[in-house]
Amino acid sequence: MVAAVGYRVGPGAGASASGRGLVRRRRRRWVRITAFGVTALLVAAGGAGWAVYAKLSGNITPDEAAAAELARYDKERPTSLVKDARNILLIGSDSREGTDNARYGRDSGTERSDTTILLHLSAGRGSATAVSLPRDLMVDLPGCRRPDGSRSAPRFAMFNQAFQVGGSACTIRTVEKLTDIRIDHHVVVDFHGFTKMVDAVDGVEVCLREPIDDRAAKLRLPAGHVTLNGEQALGYVRARKSLGDGSDTERMERQQRFLGALVNKVRSNDVLLNPVKLYPVLDAATSSLTTDPALASLRGLYDLVRGLRDIPMEEVQFLTVPRESYAYDANRDQLVEPAADRLFERLRTDGPLVVAGNGPPVSASLSLSGAHDGPYGHARPGPRLRPAVTVSPPPTYRGNTAAEDTCG
């Protein structure tokens, strides 16, 4: 900041009285004025500004135990392949621990991952892709450290048991084993934290194709555009038996649509640029999060999300990993191959993919051919050769973007 305030522009190449030189001088003058204003504001705020920063940073719980466990197995974890691309595991915990979460059911002393989303941020931050992982997906669980210090044996079980057995570290290792994708960061949020964040943005608008009357979820809503408060939003994203076809797939799609609406609300309501609106959102968000130590501060979170403001809404994509009923139990899931492996390969290598409202993963190719000419442009005698040029478009998966109207 001090360097910016004292910056001086002297004559030199390109510093003309008009055109680009003039534009550059005006821009630099604006930077000096802005830097001076920010510096003056921080000086005036003094200890109060630091107290706010310290409070918000202190709200976040660093997941030191998970960091230690992951370090123990670092040599067997996947390697990041693309510089600056990031993969973040978002875990929604169904814990009933504490007064705030107790209202959602009896505390059995255990918790499972109610929702798990693998968020891929492309290098350069041109796109964000959120992939839901079904909680009933049958996977190989590694041996994990339990809360009491003992270790579980590796086994084949439902995905959400990883969090129950060994918390976030076990979930991360399970995802890495399943996808061969290095998880750079993780975030855990519980029920109460979710409701607080929704209330902090004054609710989130969704569009319901049909009215909802769900006693279990405590939801009674009309069809059409409805703004949900925190408790209503929680019921909306968690309800399973009485909404849609009752499947977990439909529930995950509803969660994805809600997250798209939440992104739209934050972006369209100028929350990120309005300190009066931003503080309660930050306070609610930070007090609700348990993250890896690198993210457990305002600076860490800012460094992660600062490039997300410019991602077009149509490039914020949501989908569910290709899945089908498990062969030995219709109430469980298994991956659809090779579609799932192709998806994971795209995320590993930061390759593009496309989401569409319906239909299975597709692929296509285009073959172009022409005569094989000899020297100087003359066609050679004999058989005409037709070299094929194959163009493979990005694979398409069923999903939606944050730009879509949920009533569409």
Side-chain angles (χ1 to χ4, degrees):
M1 286 296 183
V2 175
V5 172
Y7 193 91
R8 298 183 61 185
V9 179
S16 62
S18 62
R20 294 182 179 178
L22 182 59
V23 171
R24 282 197 295 268
R25 290 204 299 276
R26 287 175 176 171
R27 182 180 296 122
R28 287 165 180 161
R29 190 159 52 244
W30 180 87
V31 169
R32 293 199 303 271
I33 294 171
T34 301
F36 178 79
V38 171
T39 303
L41 179 61
L42 291 176
V43 171
W50 172 250
V52 170
Y53 177 88
K55 177 185 183 301
L56 294 176
S57 287
N59 284 346
I60 307 171
T61 302
D63 200 347
E64 301 286 359
E69 180 73 354
L70 292 174
R72 177 188 178 98
Y73 292 95
D74 190 63
K75 290 184 178 180
E76 70 180 41
R77 298 180 63 195
T79 301
S80 297
L81 299 181
V82 181
K83 182 180 180 181
D84 294 332
R86 292 291 180 269
N87 296 296
I88 302 99
L89 199 64
L90 309 177
I91 304 171
S93 165
D94 70 355
S95 172
R96 270 71 170 181
E97 183 180 1
T99 303
D100 293 321
N101 289 312
R103 75 183 76 172
Y104 303 112
R106 182 177 61 87
D107 181 12
S108 62
T110 63
E111 57 181 333
R112 297 187 184 184
S113 51
D114 193 64
T115 300
T116 304
I117 295 175
L118 174 57
L119 175 63
H120 175 77
L121 306 179
S122 67
R125 304 300 183 262
S127 66
T129 303
V131 181
S132 295
L133 301 174
R135 61 183 183 179
D136 295 338
L137 187 68
M138 299 302 293
V139 297
D140 289 311
L141 303 183
C144 297
R145 184 182 185 278
R146 297 190 181 97
D148 63 5
S150 63
R151 293 198 169 269
S152 66
R155 68 179 188 273
F156 187 67
M158 289 193 305
F159 171 66
N160 70 341
Q161 289 188 17
F163 196 74
Q164 179 187 15
V165 171
S168 53
C170 190
T171 301
I172 291 168
R173 292 179 59 216
T174 300
V175 171
E176 291 184 337
K177 183 178 181 68
L178 179 71
T179 66
D180 200 28
I181 295 172
R182 175 83 175 206
I183 302 301
D184 302 295
H185 300 290
H186 70 276
V187 176
V188 182
V189 60
D190 60 22
F191 291 155
H192 181 62
F194 176 84
T195 63
K196 282 182 63 180
M197 284 188 283
V198 173
D199 285 334
V201 296
D202 296 327
V204 174
E205 183 182 88
V206 297
C207 190
L208 308 177
R209 295 187 178 93
E210 299 176 353
I212 295 176
D213 189 358
D214 187 327
R215 292 184 180 180
K218 299 179 181 179
L219 282 180
R220 189 180 180 88
L221 301 168
H225 290 273
V226 180
T227 298
L228 306 180
N229 63 28
E231 290 293 335
Q232 291 171 326
L234 181 64
Y236 176 72
V237 300
R238 294 191 66 234
R240 182 173 180 175
K241 296 181 179 179
S242 61
L243 296 185
D245 60 10
S247 69
D248 199 39
T249 297
E250 199 281 339
R251 187 180 74 113
M252 286 185 291
E253 291 175 353
R254 197 180 331 119
Q255 292 170 352
Q256 293 162 9
R257 291 193 297 270
F258 179 84
L259 289 176
L262 176 60
V263 171
N264 258 319
K265 177 64 178 287
V266 173
R267 291 276 292 266
S268 64
N269 210 29
D270 293 330
V271 170
L272 298 178
L273 301 177
N274 188 332
V276 175
K277 295 180 180 180
L278 181 59
Y279 176 78
V281 174
L282 288 177
D283 189 37
T286 54
S287 62
S288 310
L289 302 181
T290 298
T291 76
D292 58 282
L295 287 186
S297 70
L298 280 186
R299 178 60 183 271
L301 288 175
Y302 173 76
D303 286 344
L304 178 67
V305 305
R306 62 183 173 180
L308 305 184
R309 295 173 302 176
D310 299 324
I311 298 179
M313 288 294 93
E314 59 272 15
E315 295 299 332
V316 180
Q317 304 179 118
F318 301 91
L319 67 146
T320 299
V321 65
R323 41 73 57 201
E324 62 187 0
S325 294
Y326 179 48
Y328 302 102
D329 186 344
N331 295 316
R332 302 290 179 259
D333 293 328
Q334 65 184 24
L335 295 179
V336 173
E337 298 295 1
D341 188 60
R342 191 189 325 177
L343 170 63
F344 299 147
E345 189 272 337
R346 287 277 164 166
L347 299 179
R348 274 195 304 272
T349 60
D350 202 28
L353 57 89
V354 177
V355 298
N358 50 50
V362 298
S363 61
S365 63
L366 174 65
S367 293
L368 306 175
S369 60
H372 180 56
D373 292 333
Y376 314 110
H378 299 293
R380 288 177 174 170
R384 291 166 61 88
L385 302 179
R386 297 179 177 271
V389 178
T390 301
V391 180
S392 298
T396 300
Y397 295 88
R398 180 176 178 177
N400 63 281
T401 74
E404 296 177 23
D405 187 339
T406 53
C407 273

